[in-house]
Amino acid sequence: MDTRMWNGLVGVAKETYTASLSEGVVPRPLMMPLVRGELVGLIWVRPLKVGQDALAGIAELANIAAAAGADEVVLAWETHDVATACELPIVGPAPCLNMVLATPAGHVLHQFPYSEQLLSRSSQGWASVAPDWRPAPEPQPGGELVPPIQAAVNFSFTPIELDHPDPFGVTVMLMEEDGYRISLTEAFAR
Protein backbone atom coordinates (compact mmCIF):
# COMPACT_ATOMS: atom_id res chain seq x y z
CA MET A 1 0.00 0.00 0.00
CA ASP A 2 1.37 3.38 -0.86
CA THR A 3 2.04 5.94 1.86
CA ARG A 4 -0.63 8.35 0.66
CA MET A 5 -3.36 5.68 0.83
CA TRP A 6 -2.18 4.50 4.28
CA ASN A 7 -2.07 8.06 5.63
CA GLY A 8 -5.58 8.64 4.24
CA LEU A 9 -6.94 5.53 5.98
CA VAL A 10 -5.23 6.51 9.27
CA GLY A 11 -6.77 9.98 8.89
CA VAL A 12 -10.26 8.51 8.37
CA ALA A 13 -9.87 6.29 11.45
CA LYS A 14 -8.62 9.16 13.64
CA GLU A 15 -11.42 11.48 12.44
CA THR A 16 -13.99 8.76 13.16
CA TYR A 17 -12.56 8.30 16.66
CA THR A 18 -12.53 12.03 17.37
CA ALA A 19 -16.17 12.43 16.21
CA SER A 20 -17.45 9.33 18.04
CA LEU A 21 -15.63 10.00 21.30
CA SER A 22 -17.01 13.54 21.35
CA GLU A 23 -20.47 11.90 21.31
CA GLY A 24 -19.50 9.55 24.17
CA VAL A 25 -19.16 6.47 21.96
CA VAL A 26 -16.13 4.33 21.11
CA PRO A 27 -16.27 3.39 17.39
CA ARG A 28 -16.84 -0.27 16.65
CA PRO A 29 -14.09 -2.30 14.99
CA LEU A 30 -13.74 -1.35 11.34
CA MET A 31 -12.36 -3.19 8.31
CA MET A 32 -11.18 -1.54 5.10
CA PRO A 33 -10.44 -4.17 2.41
CA LEU A 34 -8.50 -3.30 -0.75
CA VAL A 35 -8.30 -5.02 -4.13
CA ARG A 36 -5.26 -4.09 -6.25
CA GLY A 37 -4.85 -0.82 -4.33
CA GLU A 38 -8.54 0.13 -4.68
CA LEU A 39 -10.54 0.61 -1.46
CA VAL A 40 -13.61 -1.67 -1.41
CA GLY A 41 -15.30 0.27 1.38
CA LEU A 42 -15.71 0.58 5.14
CA ILE A 43 -17.29 -2.22 7.17
CA TRP A 44 -18.17 -1.63 10.83
CA VAL A 45 -18.91 -4.61 13.05
CA ARG A 46 -22.54 -5.28 13.96
CA PRO A 47 -23.83 -4.65 17.51
CA LEU A 48 -22.17 -7.28 19.70
CA LYS A 49 -23.02 -9.18 22.87
CA VAL A 50 -20.12 -9.68 25.28
CA GLY A 51 -18.26 -12.98 24.88
CA GLN A 52 -18.49 -15.50 22.03
CA ASP A 53 -20.80 -13.29 19.97
CA ALA A 54 -18.20 -10.49 20.00
CA LEU A 55 -15.42 -12.90 18.99
CA ALA A 56 -17.51 -14.22 16.08
CA GLY A 57 -18.83 -10.80 15.04
CA ILE A 58 -15.34 -9.31 14.74
CA ALA A 59 -13.95 -12.35 12.88
CA GLU A 60 -16.91 -12.15 10.44
CA LEU A 61 -15.68 -8.73 9.25
CA ALA A 62 -13.48 -10.85 6.96
CA ASN A 63 -16.46 -12.02 4.87
CA ILE A 64 -16.56 -8.90 2.68
CA ALA A 65 -12.79 -8.94 2.14
CA ALA A 66 -12.88 -12.63 1.22
CA ALA A 67 -15.88 -12.19 -1.10
CA ALA A 68 -14.19 -9.23 -2.82
CA GLY A 69 -10.92 -11.14 -3.29
CA ALA A 70 -9.03 -8.54 -1.21
CA ASP A 71 -5.26 -8.62 -1.38
CA GLU A 72 -4.85 -6.14 1.50
CA VAL A 73 -6.96 -5.34 4.54
CA VAL A 74 -6.77 -2.69 7.22
CA LEU A 75 -8.54 -3.27 10.52
CA ALA A 76 -9.00 -0.61 13.18
CA TRP A 77 -10.08 -1.20 16.78
CA GLU A 78 -9.76 0.21 20.27
CA THR A 79 -7.71 -1.86 22.74
CA HIS A 80 -9.98 -1.63 25.78
CA ASP A 81 -13.24 -1.88 23.81
CA VAL A 82 -12.34 -5.16 22.05
CA ALA A 83 -10.78 -6.66 25.19
CA THR A 84 -13.95 -5.90 27.18
CA ALA A 85 -16.36 -7.12 24.46
CA CYS A 86 -14.40 -10.35 23.93
CA GLU A 87 -13.58 -10.91 27.63
CA LEU A 88 -9.85 -10.84 26.91
CA PRO A 89 -6.97 -9.33 28.89
CA ILE A 90 -5.88 -5.85 27.79
CA VAL A 91 -2.65 -6.17 25.79
CA GLY A 92 -0.73 -3.05 24.78
CA PRO A 93 -1.49 0.60 25.38
CA ALA A 94 -5.01 1.65 26.39
CA PRO A 95 -6.80 3.73 25.36
CA CYS A 96 -5.35 3.12 21.93
CA LEU A 97 -6.51 3.09 18.32
CA ASN A 98 -4.90 0.02 16.77
CA MET A 99 -4.61 -0.45 13.02
CA VAL A 100 -3.23 -3.49 11.28
CA LEU A 101 -2.26 -3.57 7.62
CA ALA A 102 -2.38 -7.18 6.43
CA THR A 103 -1.68 -9.08 3.22
CA PRO A 104 -1.62 -12.84 2.66
CA ALA A 105 2.15 -12.64 3.36
CA GLY A 106 1.86 -11.06 6.82
CA HIS A 107 0.84 -7.98 8.78
CA VAL A 108 2.15 -4.84 10.45
CA LEU A 109 0.53 -3.53 13.64
CA HIS A 110 0.34 0.25 14.11
CA GLN A 111 -0.73 1.72 17.46
CA PHE A 112 -1.97 5.25 18.09
CA PRO A 113 -2.27 5.70 21.86
CA TYR A 114 -4.22 8.63 23.22
CA SER A 115 -5.38 10.10 26.48
CA GLU A 116 -8.93 11.28 26.90
CA GLN A 117 -9.64 14.95 27.56
CA LEU A 118 -13.07 15.32 29.16
CA LEU A 119 -15.27 17.72 27.16
CA SER A 120 -18.53 17.30 29.06
CA ARG A 121 -20.66 14.80 30.95
CA SER A 122 -24.36 14.21 30.28
CA SER A 123 -26.98 13.96 33.02
CA GLN A 124 -26.98 10.19 32.38
CA GLY A 125 -23.24 10.06 33.12
CA TRP A 126 -22.00 9.68 29.52
CA ALA A 127 -18.63 11.32 29.03
CA SER A 128 -17.86 13.30 25.91
CA VAL A 129 -14.11 13.21 25.36
CA ALA A 130 -11.51 14.33 22.86
CA PRO A 131 -8.53 12.10 22.07
CA ASP A 132 -5.16 13.67 22.78
CA TRP A 133 -2.97 11.63 20.43
CA ARG A 134 0.30 10.49 22.02
CA PRO A 135 3.51 9.65 20.18
CA ALA A 136 2.99 6.39 18.29
CA PRO A 137 5.40 3.51 18.89
CA GLU A 138 7.26 2.10 15.88
CA PRO A 139 5.11 -0.13 13.61
CA GLN A 140 5.43 -3.80 14.58
CA PRO A 141 5.82 -6.25 11.68
CA GLY A 142 4.11 -9.45 12.79
CA GLY A 143 2.95 -7.73 16.01
CA GLU A 144 0.70 -9.75 18.30
CA LEU A 145 -3.00 -9.40 17.44
CA VAL A 146 -5.88 -10.23 19.77
CA PRO A 147 -7.63 -13.49 18.70
CA PRO A 148 -10.72 -12.02 16.94
CA ILE A 149 -8.57 -9.56 14.95
CA GLN A 150 -6.13 -12.35 14.03
CA ALA A 151 -9.09 -14.48 12.90
CA ALA A 152 -10.46 -11.62 10.78
CA VAL A 153 -7.02 -11.18 9.16
CA ASN A 154 -6.71 -14.92 8.45
CA PHE A 155 -10.22 -15.31 7.03
CA SER A 156 -9.90 -12.19 4.85
CA PHE A 157 -7.69 -14.10 2.45
CA THR A 158 -9.66 -17.38 2.47
CA PRO A 159 -11.82 -17.52 -0.67
CA ILE A 160 -15.54 -17.83 0.00
CA GLU A 161 -17.10 -20.83 -1.72
CA LEU A 162 -20.56 -19.55 -2.57
CA ASP A 163 -22.62 -21.05 -5.36
CA HIS A 164 -24.20 -17.81 -6.47
CA PRO A 165 -23.76 -15.64 -9.61
CA ASP A 166 -22.83 -12.63 -7.42
CA PRO A 167 -21.04 -13.93 -4.30
CA PHE A 168 -19.84 -10.42 -3.36
CA GLY A 169 -23.30 -8.85 -3.63
CA VAL A 170 -25.01 -11.62 -1.66
CA THR A 171 -22.32 -11.45 1.05
CA VAL A 172 -22.84 -7.69 1.40
CA MET A 173 -26.62 -8.17 1.58
CA LEU A 174 -26.40 -10.94 4.21
CA MET A 175 -23.98 -8.96 6.36
CA GLU A 176 -26.15 -5.84 6.22
CA GLU A 177 -29.12 -7.99 7.30
CA ASP A 178 -27.00 -9.15 10.27
CA GLY A 179 -26.44 -5.53 11.31
CA TYR A 180 -23.00 -4.74 9.87
CA ARG A 181 -22.74 -1.16 8.63
CA ILE A 182 -21.25 -1.22 5.14
CA SER A 183 -20.25 1.75 3.04
CA LEU A 184 -18.89 0.62 -0.34
CA THR A 185 -16.86 2.84 -2.64
CA GLU A 186 -18.37 3.64 -6.02
CA ALA A 187 -16.19 1.04 -7.78
CA PHE A 188 -17.67 -1.76 -5.63
CA ALA A 189 -21.22 -0.50 -5.04
CA ARG A 190 -23.86 -2.51 -6.82
Side-chain angles (χ1 to χ4, degrees), residues 62-148:
N63 291 345
I64 299 263
D71 46 27
E72 291 180 293
V73 295
V74 174
L75 275 98
W77 72 99
E78 201 285 325
T79 301
H80 190 265
D81 183 54
V82 168
T84 301
C86 297
E87 300 177 314
L88 298 168
I90 292 174
V91 178
C96 182
L97 163 61
N98 299 280
M99 292 181 72
V100 64
L101 170 58
T103 67
H107 70 269
V108 179
L109 174 62
H110 299 261
Q111 295 179 308
F112 304 97
Y114 59 93
S115 58
E116 296 175 341
Q117 306 301 317
L118 183 64
L119 298 175
S120 65
R121 192 172 291 280
S122 74
S123 57
Q124 295 85 21
W126 292 102
S128 172
V129 299
D132 181 11
W133 299 104
R134 301 290 183 207
E138 285 297 310
Q140 304 164 47
E144 184 182 353
L145 303 176
V146 292

Side-chain angles (χ1 to χ4, degrees), residues 6 13 16 18-19 29-30 40 44 53 73 75 81 84 108 111 115 119 145 148 154 156 165 172 180 185 187:
W6 171 252
T16 300
T18 300
L30 165 68
V40 173
W44 284 271
D53 182 62
V73 295
L75 275 98
D81 183 54
T84 301
V108 179
Q111 295 179 308
S115 58
L119 298 175
L145 303 176
N154 295 348
S156 289
V172 169
Y180 289 85
T185 59

Side-chain angles (χ1 to χ4, degrees), residues 122-186:
S122 74
S123 57
Q124 295 85 21
W126 292 102
S128 172
V129 299
D132 181 11
W133 299 104
R134 301 290 183 207
E138 285 297 310
Q140 304 164 47
E144 184 182 353
L145 303 176
V146 292
I149 300 294
Q150 184 67 63
V153 166
N154 295 348
F155 296 139
S156 289
F157 306 112
T158 304
I160 288 188
E161 300 298 325
L162 208 59
D163 186 23
H164 190 277
D166 181 13
F168 178 74
V170 77
T171 300
V172 169
M173 186 188 72
L174 291 172
M175 288 188 67
E176 285 178 332
E177 286 176 2
D178 281 348
Y180 289 85
R181 201 174 81 198
I182 300 168
S183 175
L184 298 176
T185 59
E186 201 173 305

